[in-house]
Amino acid sequence: MPTAPPRPAPALRPATRADLPAVLALLADEDRVVDPATVVVTEVYERAFAAIDADPRNELLVLPDGDGTVVGCLQATYIPGLGKGGAERALVEAVRIRPDRRGEGLGRALMDQAVDRARARGCALVQLTSDKRREDAHRFYAALGFARSHEGFKLALRALPGRPGRA
Amino acid sequence: MPTAPPRPAPALRPATRADLPAVLALLADEDRVVDPATVVVTEVYERAFAAIDADPRNELLVLPDGDGTVVGCLQATYIPGLGKGGAERALVEAVRIRPDRRGEGLGRALMDQAVDRARARGCALVQLTSDKRREDAHRFYAALGFARSHEGFKLALRALPGRPGRA
């Protein structure tokens, strides 16, 4: 029997309002699958999504599976600046692959396409930070060609509900 | 004779077009004083400044000396997001104090006021990255209360003129 042709990598696309429960489910717990049907989309998240969606320098991007299920996400922010020959830099935050779908190359598909988007836009650089405790993520970014050249500093300004999201 | 009263910390303010040569001079060389009069403001930098200035989520901020001379700068980007209870986070880039004016507390005045601006805006977090080779800067940010919790990764997308600016 002929083998099935390799499946094309799923295409990264901007999130719509309908993706919000799936994205919040991914952000809610990095290490456990959360059912989007259990996610309550409060007004705070409606407003935050609307702010991202309306900003031409912010994109919430989702990676759909073959059947359209969202299995990954990230947020890209394109930052104008005076360094880098006046080019924008892309900051990537909130990178997630659904925990039960890791090891299939989806993370690479997600990041490769995010980097391609930044390049097509004319960005000089893509940057991100990763929690020092997540050595697996550091190996992943190094394998994608990222240089671990900087220390990442964070200053919390107020106490926050623990989920979803983390610094 | 009475001693002079302590000078108030200079007030951080948004840069205007007139500050552009001074800011580019600060960015051109972190370790050497560059005379703003020698800086050529090319169209690339005019456009980059205009983009920052027109974006309500980006601010180029300058620290003037008593006589109005710009002795420090930074860029703040306020990023909407679904984490952090839906609050913005502030990203700080391009932090500079003129090399001959270090050790006077100007860096602290710069950062304290930038953090105050982020807090007043409702940001949940201030974040930045610092080149791993700059241990002096790391001690400075730690003293301001920042946690060195993350690894900072950068991926250059194209070759760039070396100055001004660095990743």
Side-chain angles (χ1 to χ4, degrees):
Chain A
M1 269 177 54
T3 54
R7 282 197 305 189
L12 196 65
R13 63 168 173 80
T16 67
R17 168 63 186 82
D19 298 311
L20 197 44
V23 172
L24 291 171
L26 289 172
L27 296 177
D29 196 325
E30 254 175 294
D31 301 310
R32 193 174 58 86
V33 177
V34 175
D35 181 354
T38 67
V39 170
V40 180
V41 181
T42 60
E43 198 193 327
V44 161
Y45 295 116
E46 296 276 9
R47 274 204 305 268
F49 175 74
I52 297 167
D53 197 42
D55 188 331
R57 289 202 175 93
N58 275 278
E59 288 190 313
L60 184 65
L61 299 168
V62 292
L63 191 74
D65 196 0
D67 68 358
T69 306
V70 168
V71 291
C73 69
L74 61 75
Q75 182 175 341
T77 304
Y78 306 104
I79 302 172
L82 295 169
K84 306 280 150 210
E88 286 182 336
R89 64 175 70 204
L91 172 72
V92 169
E93 295 272 356
V95 179
R96 296 291 188 281
I97 294 292
R98 214 174 69 188
D100 61 333
R101 298 299 302 276
R102 292 184 188 152
E104 300 176 33
L106 294 170
R108 176 173 277 274
L110 178 76
M111 286 300 300
D112 279 353
Q113 292 179 80
V115 168
D116 285 347
R117 277 179 101 86
R119 189 183 285 109
R121 197 181 156 103
C123 291
L125 183 88
V126 180
Q127 67 184 43
L128 58 87
T129 65
S130 177
D131 191 301
K132 280 185 186 281
R133 292 165 297 187
R134 297 198 78 94
E135 268 300 330
D136 52 341
H138 306 163
R139 279 190 299 271
F140 169 68
Y141 293 121
L144 292 175
F146 282 78
R148 186 175 175 160
S149 55
H150 285 61
E151 296 289 338
F153 290 85
K154 312 259 175 180
L155 177 69
L157 298 185
R158 51 193 170 99
L160 288 163
R163 294 177 173 176
R166 36 183 284 172
Chain B
M1 269 176 55
T3 55
R7 283 196 305 189
L12 196 65
R13 63 168 175 79
T16 67
R17 168 63 186 79
D19 298 311
L20 196 44
V23 172
L24 290 170
L26 289 173
L27 295 177
D29 196 324
E30 254 174 293
D31 300 310
R32 193 175 57 86
V33 178
V34 174
D35 180 354
T38 67
V39 170
V40 180
V41 181
T42 62
E43 198 192 327
V44 160
Y45 294 117
E46 296 276 8
R47 275 204 305 267
F49 175 74
I52 297 167
D53 197 42
D55 188 330
R57 288 202 177 93
N58 275 278
E59 287 189 315
L60 184 65
L61 299 168
V62 291
L63 190 74
D65 196 1
D67 68 358
T69 306
V70 169
V71 291
C73 68
L74 60 77
Q75 182 175 341
T77 304
Y78 306 104
I79 303 173
L82 294 169
K84 306 280 150 210
E88 286 181 337
R89 66 176 68 204
L91 172 71
V92 169
E93 295 272 356
V95 179
R96 296 291 188 281
I97 294 293
R98 214 174 70 187
D100 61 332
R101 300 297 303 274
R102 292 184 188 150
E104 300 175 34
L106 294 170
R108 175 174 278 274
L110 178 76
M111 286 300 301
D112 279 352
Q113 292 179 79
V115 168
D116 285 346
R117 275 178 102 86
R119 188 183 285 112
R121 197 181 156 103
C123 291
L125 182 87
V126 180
Q127 67 185 45
L128 58 88
T129 66
S130 178
D131 191 303
K132 281 185 185 280
R133 293 166 295 187
R134 298 198 76 95
E135 268 300 329
D136 52 341
H138 306 163
R139 280 190 297 272
F140 169 67
Y141 293 122
L144 291 176
F146 281 78
R148 187 176 177 160
S149 55
H150 285 60
E151 295 290 336
F153 290 85
K154 312 259 175 181
L155 177 70
L157 299 184
R158 51 189 168 101
L160 287 163
R163 296 177 169 174
R166 36 184 285 172

